[in-house]
């Protein structure tokens, strides 16, 4: 139960190995259930097999850190990459991108909590990275660029006997992330230049 869990995680003097783990990619359309079913929108980025940020031994579970976002779009961005498929809700998954317009939103860094794993509640057939950016946005931002600095581990992946139990744990995870990131040794990573360096994307700025 969330009430039995610690409200802060990670060493007080800052992230310990293997953190920080750095991951980047374009946000793709995922399973579509974060907002629709859980009321907790997620930004999904593709991963190559079981490797996360160059680490093959990252266990499935919930993590926290900072997310740098770039909302700049180009005409070429309109062909959005497909998100993961498989699992109980595969039939409801749509790989067709919503129309994207060039954005005037500035590049910015936000706190985030994220799930890495198979999501056994939905019986996924592929491993995915689902990021909940802790900020209220007015619209979706598929195909935006995202840099992640993962700073710590919150809990292992687990299954649930009800959707409400899953929602309660995700909401508690969000509070753990905010509390953990508020400490000076973690807050300073929000200023890491890496989070706003989108040079890996050749169309950035177009």
């Amino acid at each position: 139960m969330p009430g039995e869990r610690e409200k802060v995680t990670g060493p007080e003097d800052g992230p310990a190995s293997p953190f920080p783990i750095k991951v980047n990619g374009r946000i793709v359309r995922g399973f579509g259930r974060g907002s629709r079913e859980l009321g907790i929108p997620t930004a999904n980025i593709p991963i190559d097999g079981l490797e996360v940020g160059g680490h093959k031994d990252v266990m499935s579970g919930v993590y926290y850190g900072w997310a740098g976002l770039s909302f700049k779009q180009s005409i070429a961005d309109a062909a959005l990459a497909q998100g993961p498929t498989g699992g109980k809700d595969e039939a409801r998954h749509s790989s067709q991108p919503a129309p994207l317009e060039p954005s005037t939103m500035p590049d910015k860094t936000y706190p985030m909590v994220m799930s890495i794993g198979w999501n056994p509640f939905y019986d996924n057939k592929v491993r995915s990275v689902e990021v909940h950016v802790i900020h209220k946005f007015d619209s979706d931002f598929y195909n935006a660029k995202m840099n992640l600095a993962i700073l710590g581990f919150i809990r292992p992946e687990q299954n649930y006997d009800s959707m409400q139990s899953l929602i309660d744990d995700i909401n508690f995870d969000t509070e753990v992330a905010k509390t953990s990131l508020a400490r000076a040794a973690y807050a300073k990573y929000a200023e890491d230049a890496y989070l706003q360096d989108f040079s890996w994307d050749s169309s950035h700025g177009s």
Side-chain angles (χ1 to χ4, degrees):
M1 295 295 293
E4 299 170 352
R5 294 169 49 193
E6 296 291 332
K7 294 183 178 180
V8 66
T9 183
E12 288 298 319
D13 58 353
S17 181
F19 305 108
I21 296 173
K22 297 180 177 181
V23 185
N24 57 46
R26 282 184 175 269
I27 297 170
V28 299
R29 185 178 292 277
F31 297 106
R33 61 198 172 216
S35 295
R36 183 184 66 241
E37 298 181 8
L38 304 177
I40 303 167
T42 58
N44 303 274
I45 59 173
I47 56 174
D48 183 14
L50 300 181
E51 186 172 298
V52 180
H55 297 262
K56 295 183 178 180
D57 56 350
V58 174
M59 69 179 293
S60 294
V62 180
Y63 296 79
Y64 66 96
W66 297 99
L69 286 170
S70 174
F71 304 95
K72 296 182 177 69
Q73 305 293 345
S74 68
I75 295 175
D77 293 340
L80 182 63
Q82 293 186 11
T85 59
K88 295 177 185 174
D89 56 352
E90 181 175 7
R92 298 198 302 272
H93 172 72
S94 171
S95 62
Q96 297 302 313
L100 289 173
E101 298 294 335
S103 175
T104 58
M105 294 176 63
D107 297 352
K108 195 170 180 181
T109 297
Y110 303 90
M112 65 85 182
V113 59
M114 64 184 289
S115 168
I116 300 173
W118 305 90
N119 204 329
F121 182 77
Y122 285 97
D123 193 26
N124 287 0
K125 303 305 181 187
V126 294
R127 201 179 194 211
S128 62
V129 171
E130 300 179 61
V131 182
H132 173 49
V133 180
I134 306 174
H135 181 80
K136 182 174 176 57
F137 295 94
D138 293 331
S139 61
D140 292 332
F141 42 89
Y142 296 123
N143 215 32
K145 278 80 73 174
M146 181 161 62
N147 293 332
L148 299 176
I150 308 171
L151 301 185
F153 179 74
I154 296 179
R155 62 173 174 86
E157 182 175 57
Q158 64 185 79
N159 204 348
Y160 295 88
D161 55 12
S162 72
M163 185 176 296
Q164 189 57 53
S165 295
L166 171 60
I167 292 171
D168 290 345
D169 247 8
I170 294 174
N171 286 332
F172 193 84
D173 295 335
T174 300
E175 293 305 312
V176 172
K178 291 192 291 186
T179 303
S180 300
L181 290 170
R183 296 170 295 172
Y186 293 79
K188 68 181 183 180
Y189 281 87
E191 305 302 322
D192 188 338
Y194 153 79
L195 289 168
Q196 292 300 318
D197 180 2
F198 299 98
S199 58
W200 52 267
D201 182 81
S202 60
S203 66
H204 183 68
S206 60

